[in-house]
Amino acid sequence: MARRLDVTGADGVRLTAWDHTPGPTGGGITSGGITGRSAPAQGAPAPGVAGIVPQPGPGRGAVPRPGGRPAPEPPAPDALRAPAPGVLLLHGLMGHAGHWARAASRLTGGHRLVALDQRGHGSSGKPAAGPFTREAYVADAAAVVEQLGLGPVTLIGHSMGALTAWQLAAERPDLVRALVICDMRASALGAASQRAWQDWFRCWPAPFPSLEAVHRWFGDEDPWVETPNPARGAFFAEVMAEHADGWRPVFDPEQMLTSRETWVHDAHWDSLAQVRCPTLVVRGLDGELGRAEAQEMVRVLPHGEYAEIPDAGHLLHYEHPDAWREAVEPFLNGVLTP
């Protein structure tokens, strides 16, 4: 079960991370003002917090959500051993740390696995005035690595989280050991893409009357869905919270658009070329990152490798955690094994 860790990001924003490390030492870390808490059992109330309600996706168990009771633990007997190599998991736009739960549970090799709810997402702070800039997201990730003692860390990012990961690797090579980029483009998406997202948010029938309605709309009725996709419905159901008038996202759509505005108009090849650590670029065969662009990213990277997952779309780690592990774990074991 993941353990909640409260940390502080850039400009003092409150951030929540979740330690997925298996075994007796996993997640029980409390140091430097970092508070460890157990995630409540699935279906249990989250005291005093209105936020993510975890939903059962295909084959899912319990996933992290806000709340939980403080559960300080004494150091385990093996806590004085050499620390396990740190891995920080960064979700994409509109996601949350729990979307990594199934993929993280498949990884072996003795890594310390921590997933972060980025600012504006999940259980982390959503400051009304922001900022939701690239610089803020990167600074938050650096602060988490330093406060949790994860460095030199392996960063695994999906979509926007992958961009944050490679920008951090470019700016702070001292903090980053290796990098995994999951289905994120380096090319500019352009103004038309941003307008399409604005129109898409406006067409959401929120508040949704039930979680079943959330599943149905995002998995089938959404005009962006070409064929029924139950996993997509489950993905969005995980980031909904119940209000008096129905179910709404835990994030502010306007903050998501603001976050996206800061990276869709520019290409990011220059920062990619500055990444000096070993890097794996992973794409779903039906994802948003095309094969030609992915292979060009590998060529631009000084130490790039390539992998693709058949039958996977943009949510490759969420929909196909076993195939994702098969693509990623050999790379992780190679860079993290002394």
Side-chain angles (χ1 to χ4, degrees):
M1 179 178 290
R3 181 66 58 85
R4 174 176 173 149
L5 302 171
D6 294 322
V7 293
T8 302
D11 57 51
V13 68
R14 176 187 54 79
L15 299 174
T16 302
W18 301 89
D19 196 325
H20 288 271
T21 309
T25 60
I29 297 166
T30 56
S31 63
I34 301 162
T35 304
R37 301 180 182 180
S38 295
Q42 186 170 1
V49 180
I52 296 170
V53 176
Q55 299 304 316
R60 295 187 67 79
V63 298
R65 64 173 171 187
R69 299 171 181 169
E73 297 180 358
D78 57 350
L80 299 180
R81 295 179 184 174
V87 176
L88 182 62
L89 302 154
L90 299 173
H91 61 75
L93 193 71
M94 302 182 295
H96 78 128
H99 284 147
W100 288 106
R102 287 198 301 153
S105 71
R106 268 98 171 145
L107 292 177
T108 60
H111 320 309
R112 183 183 174 198
L113 301 167
V114 176
L116 173 66
D117 279 332
Q118 297 177 80
R119 66 170 58 207
H121 297 75
S123 302
S124 288
K126 303 166 181 64
F132 293 98
T133 61
R134 288 282 80 227
E135 293 78 9
Y137 281 110
V138 172
D140 285 347
V144 171
V145 171
E146 292 178 326
Q147 289 176 45
L148 297 182
L150 297 175
V153 71
T154 294
L155 298 172
I156 302 179
H158 172 244
S159 194
M160 183 191 75
L163 177 58
T164 298
W166 90 57
Q167 289 180 333
L168 176 58
E171 295 177 16
R172 292 290 308 274
D174 58 304
L175 290 183
V176 183
R177 180 198 306 261
L179 174 66
V180 178
I181 297 170
C182 298
D183 213 59
M184 179 60 189
R185 300 183 62 184
S187 299
L189 302 181
S193 170
Q194 187 71 355
R195 289 193 297 271
W197 273 68
Q198 290 171 336
D199 293 340
W200 179 59
F201 276 126
R202 293 190 188 106
C203 81
W204 287 21
F208 295 88
S210 65
L211 278 178
E212 289 74 19
V214 174
H215 278 267
R216 185 170 59 252
W217 196 82
F218 286 101
D220 190 12
E221 299 171 356
D222 182 348
W224 283 12
V225 175
E226 296 180 358
T227 58
N229 187 343
R232 187 174 186 269
F235 181 94
F236 279 97
E238 284 190 23
V239 289
M240 294 287 160
E242 187 173 22
H243 298 263
D245 59 351
W247 293 82
R248 298 178 180 273
V250 297
F251 52 80
D252 181 343
E254 288 301 319
Q255 291 183 350
M256 299 299 98
L257 287 172
T258 298
S259 298
R260 196 173 186 274
E261 183 78 26
T262 64
W263 55 265
V264 297
H265 300 290
D266 301 315
H268 305 283
W269 295 100
D270 288 346
S271 59
L272 191 70
Q274 295 170 22
V275 174
R276 298 298 168 186
C277 62
T279 302
L280 177 68
V281 177
V282 187
R283 63 179 289 268
L285 215 57
D286 298 317
E288 297 180 6
L289 175 61
R291 178 181 286 131
E293 182 171 353
Q295 292 177 343
E296 179 63 12
M297 291 170 66
V298 171
R299 189 192 69 79
V300 166
L301 285 158
H303 304 285
E305 299 181 32
Y306 174 77
E308 63 183 37
I309 300 176
D311 303 321
H314 183 57
L315 306 178
L316 60 175
H317 63 291
Y318 183 82
E319 293 184 272
H320 300 279
D322 290 314
W324 179 86
R325 178 194 60 79
E326 291 175 5
V328 169
E329 191 162 60
F331 171 81
L332 290 182
N333 291 339
V335 298
L336 297 181
T337 300

